[in-house]
Amino acid sequence: MAVVAAAAGWLLRLRAAGAEGHWRRFRGVGLARGFLHPSATVEDAAQRRQVAHFTFQPDPEPREYGQTQKMNLFQSVTSALDNSLAKDPTAVIFGEDVAFGGVFRCTVGLRDKYGKDRVFNTPLCEQGIVGFGIGIAVTGATAIAEIQFADYIFPAFDQIVNEAAKYRYRSGDLFNCGSLTIRSPWGCVGHGALYHSQSPEAFFAHCPGIKVVIPRSPFQAKGLLLSCIEDKNPCIFFEPKILYRAAAEQVPIEPYNIPLSQAEVIQEGSDVTLVAWGTQVHVIREVASMAKEKLGVSCEVIDLRTIIPWDVDTVCKSVIKTGRLLISHEAPLTGGFASEISSTVQEECFLNLEAPISRVCGYDTPFPHIFEPFYIPDKWKCYDALRKMINY
Amino acid sequence: MAVAIAAARVWRPNRGLSQAALLLLWRPGARGLARSHPHRQQQQFSSLDDKPQFPGASAEFIDKLEFIQPNVISGIPIYRVMDRQGQIINPSEDPHLPKEKVLKLYKSMTLLNTMDRILYESQRQGRISFYMTNYGEEGTHVGSAAALDNTDLVFGQYREAGVLMYRDYPLELFMAQCYGNISDLGKGRQMPVHYGCKERHFVTISSPLATQIPQAVGAAYAAKRANANRVVICYFGEGAASEGDAHAGFNFAATLECPIIFFCRNNGYAISTPTSEQYRGDGIAARGPGYGIMSIRVDGNDVFAVYNATREARRRAVAENQPFLIEAMTYRIGHHSTSDDSSAYRSVDEVNYWDKQDHPISRLRHYLLSQGWWDEEQEKAWRKQSRKKVRAPRPGGRRQGPAWEAGCLPTAPCPHR
């Protein structure tokens, strides 16, 4: 608590130092190391470098889908893929290193179970992987492509944006690649740096014709992935890699679907709406309890789940009720998906807003290695932004 | 040996490798040991003992420093059946196609030629916005199309209208797509010549080059899994072959053992870029072996050569589940498109040579004449008839508008509000 007071003092000093706008650029910069770890000595801080910036909150055990099993995120993905290949004889899984089980173990056991013609490695070529997947889907078979890290999806950008997204439209619905799903590990992981931490959803949000989906938990992941695979449009499914092992909960063994383009209000509230997706949902959940405890503020927490097409109605309905909106994502601020949400909400709910919409995001820089704790929109930054909105 | 095992323990992480396993890895004859240990050199080895063990290549050692010289002076030879006068050179290569089939080849090429002339003019007159002709390359289209089954899936680039023509795509639909009118099955969404036909297994054309190549490979893989006995054919130009997608497609087809024919139309130009600025190797056929792909170069203006090569490639691709690469040498007689004036970068003499001396239509016509299956009368009549077919008035005429009814509006999968 003393450290929190010290931190608050530090923040106040910075605030006094310059105008609000100046302050915005200082968010996170210059904070003493001790600030991050309340009871830290320098030694302890070094040992605690691996402490995550969030705490995964499992959802209660689902009762309506039959027997459940404790699964972490990668196991829930395996389960979804297992269900898909069992149900759909045309379904195939391919990408780099998927045959031995995948670098994140998402495809363990599937090649042995379903055969080497259905679960196979491809050469190291993302544009080839996606192009190949499109071709399979054009024949009507189900293609589940893996891109090893979302950071490496860019060679496939042309195939995704110019081809997959436009296949049905440009052919007048004579042809389509709706049975294509692309899965890829996504988001910060503590040590990933520039090329193992990216969240590229904003690049794809600008592309009509595809769906982009990001789960926050194993139970969500399985249901959403199954929906993506069965959806009649090409889908990109980003899997928060930091949650692969860190998130574990009871997940149904049988297949089930969670609808796409439906955001979930995971906690109701009345004073401010918090919107995030993927790992960041757990951060804002914690911010919501901090706000309740310290400020007596009641937060409505929304997991967006589908980035495009996004659930405008749920978010707007919430903002109409609360009058305040905070959106948070790891991806850089400028052009990040929060800007789309912010723009639409101010169009739809202008007169309901009590404060400017707040976006707490990564900085407009490449994703750093050693500076990750300073880069990511952690709970303190979110809490601070929330406080300012309340006091606006 | 003990030293080797000890060394192995130091440098290799201990993953439970037993002594026996280590012995297997460091077996006698492994290069380092054989050369260094005096006792070993006295033993009798078969020639197999000093072979390289690298997983990455299956090759012998060589102790002479020698770079492989790429052979572009005398490249892969060009397979042909007819000479430039339409005479069969080697009778054993004559496909002996029946008269109806050869006439269909001829009529498809000439009807395409006629349609090209009329639609090119239509663009000049402001009736359509854009057009690309196929002059000089008709042989590559119909020769290959004739060698396929009707259900074989076709992925094209943009200069393969003859494939659709051979598959009897109605003239009305060619033109509907160019006009973007209500009859266009593509619903008026794309520029002219971006044809597609589900019934005739011709995937809708898209403008980005070479993107169809890895897609065709995926389709072939799915066809293999489905035991469909279908081949997929993928057309592209020598310029598109420079794209990364082409490299990706070739490599995937070979490693994943796909029944696909890669058909490259090497017509000498990518818009204004001649082949000397497109590649330095021996064209596209020479790249095939680099990927492990069976490859051939053919005279693209010789319909029978194209037919024979495609037919054999199809038979083997399906039977053996492996890709084939056919590089059809030809010449783009027309401009790249109606937005291009090729006199800016090549001489009229060069174009005239190909138009007059080595044209797929004239060569086949010579063959037809020599067989007694065609004559000047029929030629005149057919020219008139084909022009009539192309110009025939249609319900609503060419003045039909685009499709504005609700059912034809863009089917956007992003209904935000």
Side-chain angles (χ1 to χ4, degrees), chain A residues 93-244:
Chain A
I93 300 172
F94 51 92
E96 295 151 27
D97 303 297
V98 300
F100 89 113
V103 291
F104 289 109
R105 323 312 291 135
C106 292
T107 51
V108 170
L110 297 177
R111 184 176 169 95
D112 286 341
K113 188 168 177 183
Y114 295 102
K116 60 185 175 65
D117 60 319
R118 295 187 73 187
V119 180
F120 53 93
N121 291 339
T122 63
L124 211 168
C125 179
E126 287 76 14
Q127 67 195 100
I129 290 169
V130 175
F132 179 84
I134 291 171
I136 290 180
V138 166
T139 69
T142 298
I144 306 169
E146 178 177 305
I147 299 294
Q148 199 157 84
F149 284 87
D151 313 56
Y152 308 141
I153 202 165
F154 300 107
F157 200 73
D158 185 41
Q159 286 284 352
I160 294 169
V161 167
N162 268 336
E163 297 289 314
K166 297 171 168 66
Y167 232 90
R168 192 190 296 276
Y169 176 87
R170 73 189 186 200
S171 68
D173 203 12
L174 294 177
F175 298 95
N176 72 79
C177 60
S179 55
L180 170 68
T181 302
I182 302 165
R183 300 176 32 246
S184 191
W186 167 103
C188 77
V189 69
H191 56 277
L194 291 81
Y195 302 113
H196 299 81
S197 312
Q198 288 178 46
S199 313
E201 66 274 10
F203 292 103
F204 298 100
H206 192 55
C207 178
I210 52 170
K211 296 193 177 183
V212 177
V213 177
I214 307 176
R216 69 170 184 275
S217 74
F219 171 75
Q220 292 289 317
K222 176 168 169 171
L224 289 167
L225 179 54
L226 284 168
S227 295
C228 285
I229 292 169
E230 288 157 26
D231 193 276
K232 302 269 184 274
N233 299 287
C235 295
I236 303 178
F237 186 76
F238 287 125
E239 302 167 356
K241 64 177 84 67
I242 201 173
L243 298 180
Y244 274 142

Side-chain angles (χ1 to χ4, degrees), chain A residues 12-23:
Chain A
L12 280 167
R13 256 178 278 136
L14 277 176
R15 196 171 179 174
E20 279 295 306
H22 190 58
W23 156 246

Side-chain angles (χ1 to χ4, degrees), chain A residues 117 127 135 159 163 167 169, chain B residues 189 206 211 215 221 225 245:
Chain A
D117 60 319
Q127 67 195 100
Q159 286 284 352
E163 297 289 314
Y167 232 90
Y169 176 87
Chain B
R189 287 162 180 176
S206 72
T211 48
Q215 293 172 19
Y221 188 87
R225 277 213 73 236
D245 272 342

Side-chain angles (χ1 to χ4, degrees), chain B residues 64-363:
Chain B
K64 187 161 162 244
L65 176 64
E66 221 175 66
F67 287 97
I68 298 170
Q69 169 94 349
N71 186 356
V72 290
I73 307 290
S74 153
I76 294 172
I78 303 167
Y79 170 71
R80 66 173 180 171
V81 174
M82 290 187 279
D83 62 22
R84 291 194 183 96
Q85 286 73 45
Q87 304 307 307
I88 304 285
I89 298 166
N90 180 352
S92 64
E93 296 295 311
D94 186 344
H96 296 293
L97 294 178
K99 178 177 171 186
E100 308 78 56
K101 190 144 182 163
V102 184
L103 280 175
K104 185 172 160 80
L105 288 169
Y106 185 73
K107 287 187 172 180
S108 301
M109 290 198 288
T110 46
L111 187 57
L112 175 62
N113 190 277
T114 304
M115 185 181 80
D116 274 353
R117 285 173 204 276
I118 288 166
L119 286 176
Y120 187 92
E121 268 313 295
S122 297
Q123 192 277 339
R124 286 297 185 246
Q125 294 169 14
R127 294 174 193 273
I128 58 176
S129 61
F130 175 82
Y131 192 70
M132 300 177 97
T133 58
N134 301 273
Y135 302 145
E137 300 185 49
E138 299 90 343
T140 61
H141 307 173
V142 307
S144 52
L148 302 171
D149 284 6
N150 280 333
T151 53
D152 289 337
L153 195 55
V154 176
F155 283 80
Q157 181 169 301
Y158 52 58
R159 220 184 290 278
E160 294 90 13
V163 176
L164 266 178
M165 190 67 87
Y166 187 85
R167 286 188 173 180
D168 300 312
Y169 193 58
L171 290 168
E172 178 182 319
L173 291 182
F174 276 115
M175 286 183 279
Q177 198 283 326
C178 291
Y179 278 87
N181 65 28
I182 202 169
S183 307
D184 177 24
L185 297 176
K187 301 183 180 166
R189 287 162 180 176
Q190 292 211 84
M191 286 169 74
V193 309
H194 289 64
Y195 311 115
C197 182
K198 190 171 173 181
E199 245 177 84
R200 291 167 180 81
H201 310 282
F202 189 97
V203 180
T204 303
I205 300 299
S206 72
S207 304
L209 295 182
T211 48
Q212 74 275 16
I213 303 179
Q215 293 172 19
V217 177
Y221 188 87
K224 176 172 82 163
R225 277 213 73 236
N227 283 315
N229 275 321
R230 279 168 103 189
V231 86
V232 173
I233 190 163
C234 182
Y235 295 89
F236 52 95
E238 86 286 351
S242 295
E243 282 279 0
D245 272 342
H247 159 73
F250 297 157
N251 201 22
F252 274 56
T255 55
L256 300 174
E257 297 169 1
C258 300
I260 181 168
I261 301 172
F262 293 115
F263 195 103
C264 176
R265 297 175 291 97
N266 187 331
N267 63 12
Y269 291 90
I271 308 187
S272 70
T273 306
T275 53
S276 58
E277 289 170 15
Q278 195 64 247
Y279 54 76
R280 274 311 144 83
D282 177 22
I284 281 68
R287 299 179 198 172
Y291 293 99
I293 296 177
M294 300 282 294
S295 311
I296 192 169
R297 173 173 284 153
V298 305
D299 179 346
N301 291 351
D302 174 348
V303 181
F304 294 144
V306 173
Y307 175 85
N308 284 352
T310 309
R311 188 123 191 92
E312 179 64 1
R314 191 206 181 275
R315 185 185 70 77
R316 291 187 62 183
V318 173
E320 299 163 26
N321 282 319
Q322 63 165 319
F324 280 78
L325 170 61
I326 300 174
E327 183 182 18
M329 310 306 293
T330 180
Y331 186 84
R332 193 195 77 207
I333 289 173
H335 307 300
H336 165 71
S337 72
T338 48
S339 307
D340 178 45
D341 174 9
S342 60
S343 64
Y345 52 82
R346 60 182 184 177
S347 74
V348 177
D349 289 339
E350 178 186 307
V351 178
N352 275 333
Y353 165 79
W354 290 96
D355 198 19
K356 304 281 183 298
Q357 313 284 7
D358 193 344
H359 197 291
I361 292 175
S362 358
R363 282 167 77 176

